[in-house]
Amino acid sequence: MSLHFFTVKKLEDLKRCFPVMRELRPHLSYEEYLLIYQEAQKTDGYEIVAVESGDQILALIGYRFLSDFVRGRHLYIDDLVSTESARSQGLGAKLLIYAEEIAKQNKCKVLRLCTGVENERGVKFYEKNNWTKRAYAYAKKIG
């Protein structure tokens, strides 16, 4: 299988990525997806890198660069998903390596992400790929 990694720039590619993103974020409508992408891209430089074989998107990663007093400049991964049919083929691991290279090129020393406590499969995946649990993330709904 020949794989092609690319940064999504065109609306047609963003549209092709939506079914894959929806596997991770099933609550999103296409309209919400576009609006959130456009806002995150504009304010935080959010990018999506997709992996395709032929004309089929198999996996994607969404990331942005953040700076804070704890980690300095770092790459934050918001989204990482493979299609159900492409899982356990190493695409997620390849995307993490790809993100690490992007982080190095952009003078980051740390990559960060959060996953839900109920995501046992994800936790095992990250630990298998040499990620370390470092914090608890809290959220509080308002309104």
Side-chain angles (χ1 to χ4, degrees):
M1 165 171 41
S2 175
L3 299 176
H4 174 242
F5 289 67
F6 68 97
T7 301
V8 173
K9 296 291 182 190
K10 298 185 266 184
L11 182 60
E12 66 191 56
D13 290 329
L14 198 58
K15 187 175 186 175
R16 291 174 54 223
C17 287
F18 177 65
V20 181
M21 181 68 82
R22 195 131 192 261
E23 289 194 32
L24 181 64
R25 313 277 184 226
H27 63 281
L28 285 179
S29 69
Y30 179 67
E31 293 74 22
E32 290 170 317
Y33 165 75
L34 285 181
L35 287 172
I36 291 168
Y37 170 82
Q38 290 165 348
E39 180 68 19
Q41 224 287 316
K42 184 174 122 184
T43 60
D44 293 328
Y46 176 83
E47 296 283 359
I48 293 175
V49 172
V51 180
E52 69 180 346
S53 178
D55 64 351
Q56 184 174 9
I57 305 293
L58 302 176
L60 62 83
I61 190 168
Y63 69 90
R64 55 196 158 125
F65 295 101
L66 299 175
S67 294
D68 62 32
F69 293 113
V70 177
R71 295 164 204 87
R73 181 171 170 78
H74 59 279
L75 186 144
Y76 185 85
I77 298 169
D78 290 281
D79 312 293
L80 178 61
V81 61
S82 297
T83 60
E84 184 66 40
S85 62
R87 291 201 183 122
S88 299
Q89 295 180 22
L91 297 177
K94 287 178 180 168
L95 281 167
L96 288 177
I97 292 167
Y98 194 92
E100 193 170 332
E101 290 304 313
I102 291 168
K104 286 177 187 174
Q105 292 167 11
N106 285 275
K107 312 260 189 284
C108 297
K109 293 186 175 156
V110 176
L111 286 90
R112 249 181 78 220
L113 60 79
C114 292
T115 191
V117 293
E118 71 285 349
N119 185 5
E120 293 174 14
R121 195 169 163 192
V123 170
K124 287 179 186 175
F125 167 77
Y126 294 120
E127 289 175 352
K128 178 181 165 190
N129 284 279
N130 301 314
W131 285 67
T132 305
K133 281 189 242 179
R134 300 280 305 168
Y136 290 100
Y138 291 94
K140 181 179 181 180
K141 289 190 177 191
I142 53 174

